[in-house]
């Protein structure tokens, strides 16, 4: 069995080996509506800057034991929607910013997982906003095929929901402080990976 620290170490190494340029100004294809939709749905998983921005939010939500998840999801959706018209006016600096936001969320998940629901909702809106800006930056109006947008929305929710659901289910079936501690350690590793990747993303600005 692979130890937890070894697994997260392999994750860190894999993400570091990915060139940061791969996440910049993704070129969306226009081959077909289905292809555009699937491209948007898979982008949050294949682009490290987006993944490292959204995944820590899911860990924070899962560790928080919130009685109401709907306000958090609605805030996340609102952030994504607001980002769509704003993205053409945002420069590539948003890439390292998105990863740094994820690092902050990972630190909160590791150190302060029991934040109030209203605070988490604000953080969810911020994650949706910054993550979507990172996905669409570098594209003017009309550059992004229309079917890509609902696919992108689906991909964002899948990443957040899967990470949060994994934490919630693990805590339900395993129980006890051990599961909580394991996920908090995982969140700290996620934050460390995000900080290292943000340093790579920031090389062009120094």
């Amino acid at each position: 069995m692979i130890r937890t620290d070894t697994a997260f170490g392999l994750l860190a190494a894999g993400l570091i080996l990915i060139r940061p340029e791969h996440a910049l100004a993704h070129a969306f294809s226009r081959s077909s509506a289905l292809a555009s939709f699937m491209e948007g749905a898979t982008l949050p998983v294949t682009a490290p800057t987006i993944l490292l921005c959204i995944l820590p939010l899911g860990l924070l939500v899962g560790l928080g034991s919130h009685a109401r998840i709907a306000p958090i999801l609605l805030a996340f959706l609102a952030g994504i929607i607001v980002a769509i018209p704003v993205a053409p006016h945002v420069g590539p600096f948003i890439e390292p910013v998105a990863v740094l936001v994820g690092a902050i969320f990972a630190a909160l998940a590791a150190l302060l997982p029991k934040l109030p629901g209203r605070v988490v909702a604000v953080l969810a809106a911020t994650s949706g906003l910054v993550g979507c800006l990172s996905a669409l930056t570098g594209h003017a109006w009309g550059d992004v095929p229309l079917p890509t947008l609902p696919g992108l929305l689906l991909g964002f929710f899948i990443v957040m929901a899967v990470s949060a659901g994994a934490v919630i289910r693990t805590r339900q079936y395993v129980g006890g402080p051990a599961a909580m501690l394991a996920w908090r350690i995982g969140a700290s590793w996620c934050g460390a990976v995000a900080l290292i990747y943000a340093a790579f993303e920031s090389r062009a600005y120094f």
Side-chain angles (χ1 to χ4, degrees):
M1 181 178 293
I2 299 178
R3 294 173 53 191
T4 303
D5 55 351
T6 304
F8 281 106
L10 292 173
L11 172 63
L15 287 173
I16 292 170
L17 289 175
I18 299 174
R19 294 180 60 192
E21 293 80 1
H22 289 175
L24 295 175
H26 180 80
F28 295 102
S29 65
R30 294 178 177 272
S31 56
S32 67
L34 179 59
S36 297
F37 178 85
M38 293 303 299
E39 190 174 18
T42 56
L43 183 60
V45 180
T46 58
T49 53
I50 306 174
L51 181 63
L52 290 173
C53 180
I54 305 173
L55 181 63
L57 173 67
L59 299 179
L60 182 61
V61 172
L63 288 168
S65 300
H66 301 287
R68 298 180 61 196
I69 301 294
I72 298 175
L73 296 178
L74 289 175
F76 186 59
L77 174 62
I80 297 172
I81 293 175
V82 170
I84 294 175
V86 177
H89 307 288
V90 177
F93 68 88
I94 197 65
E95 303 286 345
V97 171
V99 183
L100 285 175
V101 167
I104 294 172
F105 290 175
L108 291 174
L111 301 175
L112 300 170
K114 299 297 184 179
L115 291 173
R118 293 182 179 180
V119 175
V120 177
V122 173
L123 297 178
T126 303
S127 178
L129 174 66
V130 177
C132 190
L133 288 177
S134 176
L136 300 178
T137 185
H139 296 283
W141 291 100
D143 285 352
V144 180
L146 188 59
T148 301
L149 297 178
L152 190 64
L153 180 64
L154 176 63
F156 270 64
F157 271 92
I158 287 176
V159 171
M160 202 270 275
V162 168
S163 55
V167 176
I168 294 172
R169 286 299 182 184
T170 303
R171 294 179 58 196
Q172 287 178 343
Y173 288 106
V174 176
M180 189 77 171
L181 178 61
W183 280 112
R184 292 178 71 176
I185 293 174
S188 67
W189 270 99
C190 186
V193 172
L195 284 176
I196 296 173
Y197 198 83
F200 276 85
E201 285 282 324
S202 304
R203 287 179 299 171
Y205 303 98
F206 296 98

